[in-house]
């Protein structure tokens, strides 16, 4: 490759957590987390997977395929959710008071990124569908239409860019959260399988590479189901119930697996 390739991953809350791991991997020593460090802001989200690949992860809680309007979201410069898995600022502030630039224990570091960054990307990797399979497709049995509209939205919005889709984050088998009761796993899993089958089919119809598979997640946990033992606590906000997100140690491995897939995709397409 003669030039640096810019990659944009667009997803939901699960992507926001992976984004936090991306930041952890590249910010380095904890003093780099200080707001007083001028290099902190300049780095923004533009971290490298390797010397020729620059990656930006954008993830927003609740982001879904149904009703997706990329043009409007980009025009509004929609913000991501906070990079949730970023090194915990509360813990750092308590453990390392010698770094005065760190926020206090009641003021966590927050990082939000702009969807408009996608305009600079050479390769876009959509990672959406988890919310659709969790909440909506089991009710309406409309996986094919959802997937076709989803893929078409990216094809038409970005006709000159390379695309490779990522299969939606797997459903948790048994996690009941305070925020919402989950539909039965059998129904969610059936919706997920249908979504993935159509995503593979439609990707082939458009001449795209096959989607990156859910194996990036299953390999990270070393099991074939996402269970309560893999889930994180929602803290006081969620009345200390579990949320359907992986513990940071598993998301770190998901990030590493996805980074490898990004490298392989760039090598195939550029």
């Amino acid at each position: 490759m003669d030039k640096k390739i810019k990659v944009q991953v667009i997803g939901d809350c699960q992507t926001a957590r992976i984004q936090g791991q991306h930041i952890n991997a590249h910010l380095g020593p904890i003093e780099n987390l200080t707001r007083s460090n001028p290099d902190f802001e300049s780095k923004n989200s533009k971290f490298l997977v390797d010397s020729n690949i620059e990656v930006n992860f954008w993830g927003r809680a609740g982001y879904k395929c149904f009703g997706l309007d990329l043009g409007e979201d980009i025009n509004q410069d929609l913000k991501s959710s906070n990079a949730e898995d970023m090194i915990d600022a509360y813990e750092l502030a308590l453990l390392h008071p010698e770094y005065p630039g760190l926020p206090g224990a009641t003021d966590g570091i927050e990082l939000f990124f702009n969807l408009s960054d996608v305009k600079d990307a050479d390769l876009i990797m959509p990672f959406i569908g988890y919310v659709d399979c969790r909440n909506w497709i089991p009710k309406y049995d409309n996986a094919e239409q959802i997937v076709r509209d989803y893929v078409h939205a990216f094809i038409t919005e970005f006709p000159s860019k390379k695309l490779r889709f990522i299969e939606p984050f797997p459903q948790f088998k048994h996690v009941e959260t305070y925020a919402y009761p989950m539909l039965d796993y059998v129904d969610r899993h059936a919706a997920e399988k249908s979504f993935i089958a159509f995503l593979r089919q439609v990707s082939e119809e458009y001449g795209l590479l096959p989607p990156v598979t859910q194996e990036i997640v299953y390999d990270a946990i070393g099991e074939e189901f996402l269970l309560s033992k893999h889930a994180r606590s929602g803290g006081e906000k969620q009345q200390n119930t579990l949320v359907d997100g992986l513990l940071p140690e598993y998301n770190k491995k998901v990030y590493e697996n996805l980074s490898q897939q990004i490298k392989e995709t760039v090598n195939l397409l550029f």
Side-chain angles (χ1 to χ4, degrees):
M1 287 180 289
D2 296 328
K3 67 164 191 167
K4 187 178 291 181
I5 301 300
K6 295 183 178 182
V7 181
Q8 176 85 44
V9 180
I10 297 176
D12 47 41
C13 58
Q14 310 295 356
T15 304
R17 293 173 182 127
I18 295 169
Q19 179 187 57
Q21 294 295 337
H22 187 46
I23 295 166
N24 290 347
H26 296 281
L27 271 180
I30 63 169
E31 56 264 34
N32 285 356
L33 288 178
T34 67
R35 285 292 189 189
S36 59
N37 184 336
D39 193 42
F40 182 88
E41 293 294 348
S42 67
K43 281 177 184 265
N44 197 356
S45 58
K46 308 298 191 297
F47 303 109
L48 303 179
V49 168
D50 66 22
S51 60
N52 292 317
I53 305 173
E54 185 179 281
V55 182
N56 182 34
F57 287 83
W58 183 95
R60 183 178 173 93
Y63 207 59
K64 59 187 182 296
C65 304
F66 179 75
L68 184 64
D69 189 339
L70 287 166
E72 180 65 15
D73 291 344
I74 292 167
N75 287 337
Q76 289 188 358
D77 207 7
L78 199 64
K79 302 292 184 188
S80 71
S81 296
N82 188 31
E84 192 173 319
D85 262 13
M86 192 178 66
I87 297 171
D88 195 324
Y90 300 112
E91 181 180 348
L92 286 173
L94 292 171
L95 294 179
H96 300 282
E98 67 271 26
Y99 293 115
L102 284 170
T106 58
D107 182 22
I109 293 174
E110 294 184 334
L111 286 182
F112 300 90
F113 304 112
N114 303 323
L115 186 57
S116 60
D117 288 340
V118 72
K119 296 174 182 177
D120 299 326
D122 302 295
L123 167 64
I124 300 171
M125 299 183 72
F127 192 8
I128 313 174
Y130 174 77
V131 175
D132 299 89
C133 295
R134 185 189 69 189
N135 291 40
W136 308 111
I137 294 174
K139 293 181 179 179
Y140 299 106
D141 192 24
N142 58 348
E144 181 174 9
Q145 190 60 54
I146 290 289
V147 170
R148 289 193 177 279
D149 290 348
Y150 168 43
V151 176
H152 180 73
F154 275 90
I155 292 283
T156 54
E157 187 66 32
F158 306 110
S160 63
K161 297 185 184 294
K162 302 290 187 183
L163 289 170
R164 188 181 190 185
F165 288 82
I166 304 169
E167 292 176 0
F169 202 90
Q171 297 294 306
F172 279 77
K173 193 169 186 181
H174 299 298
V175 178
E176 192 79 10
T177 74
Y178 168 73
Y180 48 78
M182 283 195 176
L183 300 173
D184 189 82
Y185 174 75
V186 172
D187 297 326
R188 289 183 286 114
H189 188 53
E192 178 181 63
K193 287 198 299 184
S194 182
F195 185 104
I196 289 170
F198 285 118
L199 185 61
R200 293 174 180 177
Q201 176 185 322
V202 177
S203 290
E204 184 177 6
E205 289 173 6
Y206 278 103
L208 302 175
L209 288 175
V212 174
T213 73
Q214 290 183 325
E215 188 58 29
I216 60 172
V217 179
Y218 291 124
D219 175 76
I221 64 170
E223 298 189 44
E224 58 180 335
F225 296 108
L226 273 65
L227 306 172
S228 294
K229 67 180 181 180
H230 303 123
R232 66 201 301 131
S233 169
E236 290 183 15
K237 222 163 132 186
Q238 303 284 350
Q239 297 192 0
N240 293 308
T241 58
L242 296 176
V243 298
D244 53 329
L246 290 177
L247 290 164
E249 57 263 36
Y250 297 121
N251 272 332
K252 182 175 186 292
K253 179 63 175 172
V254 175
Y255 165 69
E256 291 167 354
N257 290 345
L258 181 53
S259 294
Q260 185 58 41
Q261 289 296 316
I262 290 170
K263 291 179 188 178
E264 292 178 9
T265 303
V266 168
N267 288 334
L268 288 168
L269 293 177
F270 295 93

